[in-house]
PDB file of all heavy atoms in Angstrom:
ATOM      1  N   PRO A  31     -13.714  14.072  -4.668  1.00 99.00           N
ATOM      2  CA  PRO A  31     -13.837  15.181  -3.749  1.00 99.00           C
ATOM      3  C   PRO A  31     -14.738  14.858  -2.557  1.00 99.00           C
ATOM      4  O   PRO A  31     -15.741  14.162  -2.742  1.00 99.00           O
ATOM      5  CB  PRO A  31     -14.486  16.295  -4.608  1.00 99.00           C
ATOM      6  CG  PRO A  31     -15.166  15.571  -5.685  1.00 99.00           C
ATOM      7  CD  PRO A  31     -14.496  14.268  -5.881  1.00 99.00           C
ATOM      8  N   THR A  32     -14.384  15.275  -1.359  1.00 98.00           N
ATOM      9  CA  THR A  32     -15.182  14.985  -0.203  1.00 98.00           C
ATOM     10  C   THR A  32     -15.185  16.202   0.760  1.00 98.00           C
ATOM     11  O   THR A  32     -14.375  17.119   0.597  1.00 98.00           O
ATOM     12  CB  THR A  32     -14.657  13.776   0.636  1.00 98.00           C
ATOM     13  OG1 THR A  32     -13.600  14.207   1.466  1.00 98.00           O
ATOM     14  CG2 THR A  32     -14.182  12.652  -0.260  1.00 98.00           C
ATOM     15  N   MET A  33     -16.048  16.094   1.786  1.00 98.00           N
ATOM     16  CA  MET A  33     -15.982  17.079   2.850  1.00 98.00           C
ATOM     17  C   MET A  33     -15.526  16.428   4.129  1.00 98.00           C
ATOM     18  O   MET A  33     -15.707  16.940   5.241  1.00 98.00           O
ATOM     19  CB  MET A  33     -17.359  17.723   3.065  1.00 98.00           C
ATOM     20  CG  MET A  33     -17.855  18.476   1.808  1.00 98.00           C
ATOM     21  SD  MET A  33     -18.961  19.831   2.205  1.00 98.00           S
ATOM     22  CE  MET A  33     -20.296  18.970   2.997  1.00 98.00           C
ATOM     23  N   PHE A  59     -12.547  19.094   2.031  1.00 98.00           N
ATOM     24  CA  PHE A  59     -12.748  20.560   2.203  1.00 98.00           C
ATOM     25  C   PHE A  59     -14.206  20.797   2.533  1.00 98.00           C
ATOM     26  O   PHE A  59     -15.097  20.483   1.767  1.00 98.00           O
ATOM     27  CB  PHE A  59     -12.421  21.273   0.859  1.00 98.00           C
ATOM     28  CG  PHE A  59     -12.606  22.765   0.911  1.00 98.00           C
ATOM     29  CD1 PHE A  59     -11.835  23.531   1.796  1.00 98.00           C
ATOM     30  CD2 PHE A  59     -13.566  23.387   0.136  1.00 98.00           C
ATOM     31  CE1 PHE A  59     -12.037  24.922   1.902  1.00 98.00           C
ATOM     32  CE2 PHE A  59     -13.757  24.766   0.241  1.00 98.00           C
ATOM     33  CZ  PHE A  59     -12.992  25.503   1.099  1.00 98.00           C
ATOM     34  N   ASN A  61     -16.883  22.919   2.498  1.00 98.00           N
ATOM     35  CA  ASN A  61     -17.048  24.081   1.635  1.00 98.00           C
ATOM     36  C   ASN A  61     -18.078  25.023   2.207  1.00 98.00           C
ATOM     37  O   ASN A  61     -19.292  24.786   2.103  1.00 98.00           O
ATOM     38  CB  ASN A  61     -17.489  23.539   0.273  1.00 98.00           C
ATOM     39  CG  ASN A  61     -17.910  24.679  -0.667  1.00 98.00           C
ATOM     40  OD1 ASN A  61     -17.365  25.743  -0.615  1.00 98.00           O
ATOM     41  ND2 ASN A  61     -18.885  24.376  -1.532  1.00 98.00           N
ATOM     42  N   GLN A  64     -21.524  26.076   0.353  1.00 98.00           N
ATOM     43  CA  GLN A  64     -22.696  25.229   0.100  1.00 98.00           C
ATOM     44  C   GLN A  64     -23.564  25.055   1.345  1.00 98.00           C
ATOM     45  O   GLN A  64     -24.490  24.262   1.350  1.00 98.00           O
ATOM     46  CB  GLN A  64     -22.308  23.902  -0.471  1.00 98.00           C
ATOM     47  CG  GLN A  64     -21.517  22.937   0.440  1.00 98.00           C
ATOM     48  CD  GLN A  64     -21.039  21.717  -0.315  1.00 98.00           C
ATOM     49  OE1 GLN A  64     -20.047  21.792  -1.063  1.00 98.00           O
ATOM     50  NE2 GLN A  64     -21.693  20.578  -0.166  1.00 98.00           N
ATOM     51  N   VAL A 131     -21.992  24.146  -4.309  1.00 98.00           N
ATOM     52  CA  VAL A 131     -21.408  22.832  -4.666  1.00 98.00           C
ATOM     53  C   VAL A 131     -20.706  22.952  -6.040  1.00 98.00           C
ATOM     54  O   VAL A 131     -19.538  22.549  -6.201  1.00 98.00           O
ATOM     55  CB  VAL A 131     -22.490  21.734  -4.730  1.00 98.00           C
ATOM     56  CG1 VAL A 131     -21.927  20.454  -5.355  1.00 98.00           C
ATOM     57  CG2 VAL A 131     -23.042  21.442  -3.331  1.00 98.00           C
ATOM     58  N   VAL A 134     -17.466  25.038  -5.985  1.00 99.00           N
ATOM     59  CA  VAL A 134     -16.282  24.381  -5.424  1.00 99.00           C
ATOM     60  C   VAL A 134     -15.840  23.213  -6.268  1.00 99.00           C
ATOM     61  O   VAL A 134     -14.635  22.954  -6.454  1.00 99.00           O
ATOM     62  CB  VAL A 134     -16.477  23.979  -3.946  1.00 99.00           C
ATOM     63  CG1 VAL A 134     -17.259  22.690  -3.818  1.00 99.00           C
ATOM     64  CG2 VAL A 134     -15.147  23.881  -3.220  1.00 99.00           C
ATOM     65  N   VAL A 135     -16.790  22.490  -6.846  1.00 99.00           N
ATOM     66  CA  VAL A 135     -16.413  21.305  -7.681  1.00 99.00           C
ATOM     67  C   VAL A 135     -15.668  21.818  -8.916  1.00 99.00           C
ATOM     68  O   VAL A 135     -14.664  21.245  -9.322  1.00 99.00           O
ATOM     69  CB  VAL A 135     -17.622  20.446  -8.045  1.00 99.00           C
ATOM     70  CG1 VAL A 135     -17.268  19.404  -9.087  1.00 99.00           C
ATOM     71  CG2 VAL A 135     -18.155  19.730  -6.761  1.00 99.00           C
ATOM     72  N   PHE A 149     -18.437  10.402  -8.014  1.00 98.00           N
ATOM     73  CA  PHE A 149     -19.442  10.951  -7.066  1.00 98.00           C
ATOM     74  C   PHE A 149     -20.425   9.856  -6.712  1.00 98.00           C
ATOM     75  O   PHE A 149     -20.637   8.886  -7.465  1.00 98.00           O
ATOM     76  CB  PHE A 149     -20.211  12.121  -7.695  1.00 98.00           C
ATOM     77  CG  PHE A 149     -19.283  13.256  -8.100  1.00 98.00           C
ATOM     78  CD1 PHE A 149     -18.658  13.276  -9.348  1.00 98.00           C
ATOM     79  CD2 PHE A 149     -19.003  14.285  -7.220  1.00 98.00           C
ATOM     80  CE1 PHE A 149     -17.789  14.287  -9.699  1.00 98.00           C
ATOM     81  CE2 PHE A 149     -18.139  15.313  -7.540  1.00 98.00           C
ATOM     82  CZ  PHE A 149     -17.530  15.310  -8.798  1.00 98.00           C
ATOM     83  N   ASP A 153     -26.350  11.247  -3.590  1.00 98.00           N
ATOM     84  CA  ASP A 153     -26.599  12.670  -3.895  1.00 98.00           C
ATOM     85  C   ASP A 153     -26.935  12.787  -5.386  1.00 98.00           C
ATOM     86  O   ASP A 153     -26.190  13.368  -6.170  1.00 98.00           O
ATOM     87  CB  ASP A 153     -25.366  13.514  -3.556  1.00 98.00           C
ATOM     88  CG  ASP A 153     -25.058  13.445  -2.074  1.00 98.00           C
ATOM     89  OD1 ASP A 153     -25.895  13.819  -1.260  1.00 98.00           O
ATOM     90  OD2 ASP A 153     -23.945  12.986  -1.732  1.00 98.00           O
ATOM     91  N   GLN A 156     -27.114  16.255  -6.961  1.00 98.00           N
ATOM     92  CA  GLN A 156     -25.770  16.823  -7.048  1.00 98.00           C
ATOM     93  C   GLN A 156     -25.008  16.232  -8.252  1.00 98.00           C
ATOM     94  O   GLN A 156     -24.372  16.963  -9.029  1.00 98.00           O
ATOM     95  CB  GLN A 156     -25.009  16.552  -5.750  1.00 98.00           C
ATOM     96  CG  GLN A 156     -23.529  16.852  -5.793  1.00 98.00           C
ATOM     97  CD  GLN A 156     -22.829  16.691  -4.480  1.00 98.00           C
ATOM     98  OE1 GLN A 156     -22.935  17.531  -3.608  1.00 98.00           O
ATOM     99  NE2 GLN A 156     -22.085  15.609  -4.302  1.00 98.00           N
TER     100      GLN A 156
HETATM  101  O1  LIG B 301     -20.793  15.540  -1.768  1.00 51.32           O
HETATM  102  C1  LIG B 301     -19.957  16.201  -1.128  1.00 51.32           C
HETATM  103  O2  LIG B 301     -19.303  15.730  -0.207  1.00 51.32           O
HETATM  104  C2  LIG B 301     -19.780  17.656  -1.494  1.00 51.32           C
HETATM  105  O3  LIG B 301     -20.979  18.227  -1.878  1.00 51.32           O
HETATM  106  C3  LIG B 301     -18.676  17.880  -2.532  1.00 51.32           C
HETATM  107  C4  LIG B 301     -19.018  17.226  -3.861  1.00 51.32           C
HETATM  108  C5  LIG B 301     -17.369  17.321  -2.016  1.00 51.32           C
HETATM  109  C6  LIG B 301     -18.509  19.382  -2.767  1.00 51.32           C
HETATM  110  O4  LIG B 301     -18.156  20.064  -1.618  1.00 51.32           O
END
Side-chain angles (χ1 to χ4, degrees):
T32 82
M33 298 209 299
F59 180 63
N61 172 33
Q64 68 188 77
V131 170
V134 81
V135 170
F149 300 89
D153 298 302
Q156 168 175 283

